[in-house]
Amino acid sequence: MAHTALGGVIGVMWLVLPGMTSDHERYGGYEVPVSAVGSAPAVSDGSGASAVAAPEEESSTGDLVLPLVVAGTAVAVASYGYARRRRRTQTRTTPAPPPLPPAARPTAPELDRQARKSLVAADDCVRTSREELGFVEGLLGAEAVAPFTEAVRYAEAELTAAFQLRQAYDDNPTDASRSALDEIVARCVDAGRRLDAEAAGFDRLRALEQDMTGALRHAEVRFREMTGRTGAAEATLADLHERYAPTASFSVTGRLEQAKDRLVFATTGLNRARQSADQGEPDRAVLHLRAAEGAIDQAEVFVDGVDRLASALAAAAQAVPDALDEVEAAVVEAREQLAEGTGAGVPVGALEGHVSRARATLAAVRGEAAAGPYDPLDALRRVAAVSAPLGTVPGAVRLVARCATDAADGFVGTHRGAVGAEARTRLAEARRLLDQDPVEADAFARRALELAERDVRAHGNPYGGRPEHTNGVAGAVLGGILLGDLPDAEGEALTGGAPGSFGGPATRARRGLTPPRKNSPGIP
């Protein structure tokens, strides 16, 4: 085909070139006009008369024949080449090259690990975004942050669906569930992208680099409030130790010490934020402020946990007598069924066992409540466990499940630098079941706390014996306030990270830190 095109071009050029002469030609060094294509130039003889050559009346037919011959030859050559190539293709004995292989899909274990990492990353982003959003809402109001609140809610919904898929996969991890793992990753990515998309607008709303005076003042006010509340919570915890059994306050053991640790870190951060602002280093001041805000928020989680437990224990103590009476009535009804030789659909032998265990538990709880001090939340949990087989569950058990879920959520949030996907998945399932099946929700929440504590023990304390152990940096890294293992040997500056900020995986560490200048204040 290329030969054909070439031949056509040559033919056309042959026809056109004779007419592409200049309107003027040079003769003897002078330009003279040309009257027509192929005519001779008119030359003046100097006397006023002109000698004009006779025009040719006919064009030579040879000028047209040659291009036609060339074009025909080109067509013939092209046709022969095409036919030869087609015949060679049809008779080829060498196999065609194989198609390129599709992109290799990850193995099931690789996809499983990817799904776990995606859940942890998305959960961290949602928690960090929610924390900073709370600070800004307290300063600017709910209306100002409405678009960002909506983004967080969207991310929470996607993450909730991803956790539910993960729980279903853990219940039945078959090869057919690969699609579930794919969807987990996709939903986590979607949640992160939504937060990433709002990060720039959130920064414009805060405008900390332009003027952080209001934000710094707001953080300092909250810091002072938390310092006062921590002292009050210590008195509350001492009262719990006196009024209830030791197991009643076990879930908040050591939490106030951790609250103080976060406040130590916040103190340093706020001081350095103000110093950096005064020295004309707004970028560094923002980093210090964000780190301090995260620490203050987590200190509040620890203190809230103590106050919430005190309220739950008081409510549980009031609910225990009614719960005992409710289950006692169910025992009486079951014994009547046994006397009649029926079990209302339950085998008689099994019903007898349920009744026996219920009577023993009720008697034990009544004795503990009378003797005191005891653990009313645990009492309600035990009563609910023996009443469920009898077809009744006291309404107060929802109080137990919510308290356990809140305790697990607080622990995961304040130790998220070490807590893995399994604990977070069980926690999400506990939240989902709170209103549907509080007994199961309580079991999932307690399991989530066990797994989270196991993860923290396995993580250990890499800062033991170092300054970071006492200046709050170790707790900030463990709590996910600082992203990564950041302090240098002196604990004076971050060496490769930043405080977490509102946003998804691509933006939550956007407030990066350049290496500090010598003798300049760094992030603790």
Side-chain angles (χ1 to χ4, degrees), residues 33-45:
V34 178
S35 61
V37 175
S39 62
V43 182
S44 176
D45 61 2

Side-chain angles (χ1 to χ4, degrees), residues 22 39 99 383 458 461 482 500:
S22 174
S39 62
V383 169
N461 181 10
L482 299 180

Side-chain angles (χ1 to χ4, degrees), residues 237 241 246 249-258 306 309 411:
L237 187 58
H241 289 156
S249 56
F250 183 76
S251 64
V252 295
T253 299
R255 299 299 186 263
L256 293 182
E257 285 71 19
Q258 290 178 306
V306 174
L309 177 62
F411 187 89

Side-chain angles (χ1 to χ4, degrees), residues 55-259:
E56 294 181 357
E57 297 294 335
E58 297 179 357
S59 297
S60 173
T61 58
D63 291 343
L64 299 177
V65 172
L66 183 58
L68 293 177
V69 172
V70 172
T73 303
V75 171
V77 171
S79 300
Y80 171 75
Y82 174 76
R84 185 179 178 185
R85 286 194 301 272
R86 184 173 182 181
R87 184 168 58 254
R88 186 167 60 243
T89 301
Q90 293 174 345
T91 58
R92 174 184 290 162
T93 56
T94 303
L100 294 176
R105 280 185 45 85
T107 64
E110 291 172 342
L111 188 58
D112 180 43
R113 285 192 296 271
Q114 184 181 2
R116 289 173 180 268
K117 290 176 64 176
S118 297
L119 286 169
V120 170
D123 193 40
D124 283 350
C125 290
V126 167
R127 290 177 180 275
T128 301
S129 298
R130 196 162 48 208
E131 289 171 0
E132 187 174 5
L133 183 64
F135 261 89
V136 180
E137 182 176 348
L139 180 63
L140 303 179
E143 185 176 354
V145 300
F148 310 106
T149 301
E150 180 62 27
V152 170
R153 288 175 180 168
Y154 177 87
E156 287 174 338
E158 289 296 295
L159 185 59
T160 297
F163 274 128
Q164 189 171 348
L165 288 167
R166 180 72 215 194
Q167 183 62 51
Y169 177 83
D170 289 345
D171 292 339
N172 184 27
T174 63
D175 291 340
S177 300
R178 284 182 60 98
S179 59
L181 296 177
D182 285 331
E183 186 173 354
I184 289 171
V185 174
R187 285 186 176 273
C188 290
V189 169
D190 194 30
R193 283 176 176 169
R194 179 62 186 275
L195 295 175
D196 283 331
E198 300 293 341
F202 191 80
D203 287 347
R204 287 193 295 272
L205 176 67
R206 297 208 71 179
L208 293 176
E209 288 78 2
Q210 283 73 41
D211 183 9
M212 64 183 303
T213 304
L216 185 56
R217 185 183 302 114
H218 178 65
E220 290 171 339
V221 168
R222 284 196 58 182
F223 171 81
R224 289 191 290 270
E225 290 175 352
M226 288 312 308
T227 302
R229 285 190 59 195
T230 302
E234 288 183 307
T236 300
L237 187 58
D239 181 62
L240 296 182
H241 289 156
E242 292 180 2
R243 297 180 60 183
Y244 304 103
T247 58
S249 56
F250 183 76
S251 64
V252 295
T253 299
R255 299 299 186 263
L256 293 182
E257 285 71 19
Q258 290 178 306

Side-chain angles (χ1 to χ4, degrees), residues 21-33:
T21 59
S22 174
D23 290 338
H24 294 75
E25 295 188 36
R26 301 185 65 88
Y27 287 89
Y30 297 94
E31 288 189 354
V32 291

